[in-house]
Amino acid sequence: MILTDRQPHRVEVTVLGEFELADFKQFETLFDEVLAGDAPVDLYFDLRGMAGFTVDVAWEEVVFSRQHGKDFRRIAVIAEHRWEAWAVWLTKLSAQAELRVFADEEGARSWLAGAL
């Protein structure tokens, strides 16, 4: 399950439990709506509540990152576990955005706002 929030030029996603393909499709739809504004999009991705993800999500993420690699400005990921940070690093291979992993929400939001 995911919780989402759409803002001008920003998509926020919080993952709770297992991240499934239907969740990723929901994120993709929201991203496409925000991207319609023709400006790079910031992404706030909170993985602290994620219990895992399905294999089809991993593949969809690879396809999505290759398709939208130039459409991001900044990607802030909140992660507690080393494997989550490693997965984020893989995303960086195909995304041309600035990407940082944070341990806390405040740091991630400040960086996206440009305060850091």
Side-chain angles (χ1 to χ4, degrees), residues 37-56:
D38 293 331
V41 175
D42 288 339
L43 177 60
Y44 170 91
F45 223 87
D46 188 342
L47 301 178
R48 293 176 293 178
M50 184 172 74
F53 57 90
T54 59
V55 174
D56 51 356

Side-chain angles (χ1 to χ4, degrees), residues 15 18-25 27-28 45 47 50 52-67 83-84 86-88 90-92 94:
V15 180
E18 187 169 52
F19 196 20
E20 298 178 346
L21 186 58
D23 301 323
F24 200 90
K25 293 293 188 180
F27 157 70
E28 287 179 308
F45 223 87
L47 301 178
M50 184 172 74
F53 57 90
T54 59
V55 174
D56 51 356
V57 166
W59 177 250
E60 189 70 18
E61 193 279 330
V62 168
V63 172
F64 178 83
S65 292
R66 287 182 181 209
Q67 180 181 6
W83 67 269
E84 294 165 340
W86 181 80
V88 169
L90 287 176
T91 298
K92 179 64 177 157
S94 56

Side-chain angles (χ1 to χ4, degrees), residues 63-109:
V63 172
F64 178 83
S65 292
R66 287 182 181 209
Q67 180 181 6
H68 291 288
K70 296 178 183 179
D71 295 330
F72 292 101
R73 184 181 76 99
R74 286 185 165 181
I75 302 171
V77 178
I78 304 174
E80 294 178 337
H81 304 288
R82 180 172 239 171
W83 67 269
E84 294 165 340
W86 181 80
V88 169
W89 179 81
L90 287 176
T91 298
K92 179 64 177 157
L93 294 176
S94 56
Q96 296 180 7
E98 291 182 70
L99 188 143
R100 287 196 187 170
V101 178
F102 295 87
D104 64 283
E105 181 178 339
E106 183 179 334
R109 290 188 183 282

Side-chain angles (χ1 to χ4, degrees), residues 24-36:
F24 200 90
K25 293 293 188 180
Q26 179 183 348
F27 157 70
E28 287 179 308
T29 299
L30 185 62
F31 180 83
D32 287 341
E33 290 171 3
V34 173
L35 184 61

Side-chain angles (χ1 to χ4, degrees), residues 2-17:
I2 63 171
L3 304 174
T4 61
D5 185 25
R6 174 187 173 181
Q7 300 174 16
H9 309 293
R10 182 184 297 175
V11 173
E12 297 190 3
V13 177
T14 301
V15 180
L16 303 170

